[in-house]
Amino acid sequence: MDRYRDNPAALRGLVRDTEVHRDVYIDPEVFDLEMRHLFAETWVYVGHASQLPEPGDYISATVGYQPLLVVRHSDGSIHVLYNRCPHKGTRITTEQCGNTGKFFRCPYHAWSFRTNGKLLSIPLKKGYENTGLDDAEAAAGLRPVANLHVYRDFIFVKLNEGGQSFEEFFGESLSSIDNMIDRSPEGKLVVAGAPLRYLHGCNWKMLVENQTDTCHPMVAHESSAGTAVSVWEREQAEGAKPPMAVEVYSPFMSSYEFFEGMGIRVWPNGHGHTGVATSIHADYSAVPGYMEQMAASYGEGEARRILDENRHNTVYFPNVMVKGPIQTLRVFIPLAADKTLVESWTFRLVGAPDMLFERTLMYNRLINAPTSIVGHDDLEMYERAQEGLRADANPWVNLQRLYQPGERHDVTEVINGTSERQMRNQFHAWASFMAASMERQAAGA
């Protein structure tokens, strides 16, 4: 039964001021609409230019249901193309990454395409003479996405025509990407290696919400991070400096008061970040020589401004989180209403001391990996919630903490660090972008 498919009003009704209906997490129809509308109406991250250093280099990406190719063309430009041959619809490649040389070649009938998508050649092309092929869509080659924007090497696409521009969609939130890049003395990041991939048995939005949920760390992570900290406190030699792993774990056991004072900044369109006044990354040990490098590049005042900005988690709606001080990026890839693939990427700060990259790798391995201990705490909570939401006791999920009547979702504000307003902000954006795409599609039908 299609309750929401042609009914934007019903879809909007799933989101109240302080509650969301369980269907946003468990209903396959809602999931299908997300894949077709939400991920087509928003600007979605698909990769980083450093993954494409040479002409012909490509990576695969998926936005909603759409398979894409992100490729470096012979002139150095970046193109994002649908991974579908215009002849029979065959996927051009099933590899995650590679170098295609000067052209893509379909493995089915050997139609070939330049790396900007333009049709290059067709075997036995004389068989198409006087058939009107030149006027057919297939003759245009691999179709490009409707909208592409490369921001300081971060590659974003929007599949739908119309809607918000890149600048309108992100606005001031791009400052978190800026800060992560500016931590390099050379103002440059490179992706370092393959991501850690971790399959979660839950809805993708649970992971997005968790990035700004500051009332769970001292509870859910007590058995993991709490145990690691207590062991160190028991076994340490007097006056010993905590090892890097303990520095990474210990802030997860910070008090409610710490997280309240940390602050959350909300931006329009579902974006926001924890860690305004301080964050769990603020008290790591100094890296020898790093400040001197930064001061030489930016001047001492600007270097201190960059490094004193220690944002915790920045959510870029709909499905990306960046952690600037630790140079990681996580993508939450929806596979089903109750299945999500998480990719955790690490970046190297070009020109910075190796110790910073060591910390990045250690953090990602200890916190985000399938073999981590902290990440498993969260996964257990997600899966419990996914199961619990099927109980008929109450169909609504409460997001009421520190709610104020008349809250606006089109403003930038700094709020209490334990507020659930950023989650409310995300669901307002979710409903708005979903409905906008459905209404535009209906108007054009």
Side-chain angles (χ1 to χ4, degrees):
M1 175 177 154
D2 293 344
R3 290 173 289 175
Y4 306 112
R5 191 161 306 281
D6 298 314
N7 194 343
L11 201 72
R12 288 182 183 274
L14 296 174
V15 178
R16 297 175 175 173
D17 286 345
T18 61
E19 298 175 313
V20 295
H21 195 275
R22 66 177 179 179
D23 280 0
V24 304
Y25 303 101
I26 67 173
D27 191 306
E29 182 189 351
V30 172
F31 177 84
D32 180 64
L33 291 172
E34 288 176 334
M35 298 301 98
R36 298 179 187 279
H37 294 287
L38 178 66
F39 283 89
E41 188 71 10
T42 51
W43 285 89
V44 180
Y45 173 78
V46 293
H48 192 266
S50 66
Q51 297 172 265
L52 310 167
E54 302 295 334
D57 285 344
Y58 70 87
I59 55 177
S60 296
T62 303
V63 175
Y65 290 137
Q66 304 304 311
L68 305 176
L69 286 170
V70 187
V71 60
R72 177 83 68 177
H73 187 43
S74 56
D75 64 0
S77 60
I78 291 172
H79 295 258
V80 182
L81 312 166
Y82 284 89
N83 189 357
R84 174 203 185 279
C85 180
H87 177 214
K88 293 288 189 178
T90 308
R91 285 185 65 138
I92 296 297
T93 180
T94 57
E95 300 296 325
Q96 289 290 322
C97 60
N99 185 289
T100 193
K102 295 183 179 180
F103 60 90
F104 288 108
R105 180 178 182 270
C106 178
Y108 197 4
H109 296 97
W111 284 36
S112 60
F113 311 89
R114 293 183 173 87
T115 48
N116 62 0
K118 299 298 183 182
L119 180 64
L120 178 61
S121 66
I122 300 174
L124 297 174
K125 191 174 181 180
K126 62 183 180 181
Y128 290 95
E129 291 178 0
N130 302 316
T131 67
L133 175 66
D134 290 344
D135 297 323
E137 187 173 351
L142 301 177
R143 181 181 172 188
V145 297
N147 301 278
L148 165 65
H149 193 101
V150 182
Y151 181 80
R152 300 191 70 179
D153 286 344
F154 286 75
I155 307 167
F156 294 86
V157 299
K158 185 163 75 69
L159 304 183
N160 277 358
E161 298 280 5
Q164 293 189 356
S165 69
F166 179 85
E167 292 77 13
E168 289 170 329
F169 183 70
F170 285 109
E172 296 176 8
S173 73
L174 293 170
S175 57
S176 286
I177 289 179
D178 291 336
N179 181 260
M180 182 160 70
I181 299 169
D182 292 344
R183 287 171 175 269
S184 158
E186 299 181 21
K188 189 174 181 61
L189 294 176
V190 294
V191 169
L196 299 174
R197 291 189 171 95
Y198 192 178
L199 191 63
H200 288 58
C202 66
N203 187 272
W204 65 277
K205 294 184 292 298
M206 293 181 180
L207 288 116
V208 178
E209 290 172 44
N210 187 66
Q211 305 311 301
T212 54
D213 182 336
T214 57
C215 287
H216 84 276
M218 69 294 294
V219 181
H221 301 310
E222 184 176 9
S223 61
S224 56
T227 299
V229 171
S230 64
V231 169
W232 162 250
E233 291 174 345
R234 185 181 69 235
E235 303 294 335
Q236 67 173 311
E238 185 175 350
K241 178 180 176 296
M244 186 182 290
V246 173
E247 285 193 342
V248 165
Y249 280 134
S250 59
F252 284 86
M253 298 315 298
S254 299
S255 66
Y256 288 116
E257 290 74 20
F258 172 84
F259 284 107
E260 282 191 310
M262 191 170 75
I264 292 175
R265 179 178 281 114
V266 294
W267 288 299
N269 298 323
H271 315 304
H273 76 88
T274 50
V276 179
T278 186
S279 84
I280 69 171
H281 307 299
D283 292 326
Y284 292 154
S285 296
V287 175
Y290 178 43
M291 181 61 194
E292 290 76 8
Q293 286 181 297
M294 291 290 287
S297 296
Y298 296 101
E300 186 169 345
E302 179 65 4
R304 291 195 180 280
R305 185 196 67 79
I306 292 168
L307 299 183
D308 285 347
E309 186 72 51
N310 282 294
R311 298 179 183 183
H312 180 189
N313 293 339
T314 295
V315 170
Y316 286 115
F317 186 79
N319 69 325
V320 165
M321 184 275 285
V322 300
K323 193 180 282 287
I326 207 72
Q327 294 87 58
T328 62
L329 178 149
R330 302 179 77 200
V331 186
F332 310 112
I333 303 171
L335 301 179
D338 59 355
K339 187 178 295 184
T340 304
L341 177 65
V342 183
E343 291 187 343
S344 297
W345 295 84
T346 54
F347 293 81
R348 181 187 285 272
L349 296 169
V350 176
D354 287 343
M355 185 178 173
L356 284 164
F357 186 51
E358 178 186 347
R359 181 184 289 159
T360 295
L361 293 177
M362 177 172 284
Y363 187 97
N364 206 34
R365 187 171 64 250
L366 294 179
I367 309 303
N368 298 329
T371 53
S372 74
I373 60 173
V374 173
H376 281 63
D377 295 333
D378 293 320
L379 176 58
E380 181 181 352
M381 296 305 109
Y382 304 146
E383 292 185 344
R384 286 188 179 200
Q386 194 72 33
E387 295 170 2
L389 285 172
R390 297 194 176 278
D392 291 331
N394 177 9
W396 294 93
V397 173
N398 188 279
L399 300 175
Q400 203 159 356
R401 181 168 175 77
L402 294 174
Y403 170 74
Q404 294 182 338
E407 263 181 10
R408 293 177 58 185
H409 305 284
D410 59 348
V411 295
T412 298
E413 287 187 16
V414 173
I415 55 178
N416 184 294
T418 62
S419 174
E420 291 176 335
R421 181 170 172 182
Q422 172 56 18
M423 302 175 204
R424 298 190 289 270
N425 194 34
Q426 290 163 193
F427 275 107
H428 174 83
W430 179 90
S432 295
F433 286 115
M434 290 271 279
S437 177
M438 293 170 68
E439 290 162 356
R440 185 180 299 113
Q441 185 180 84

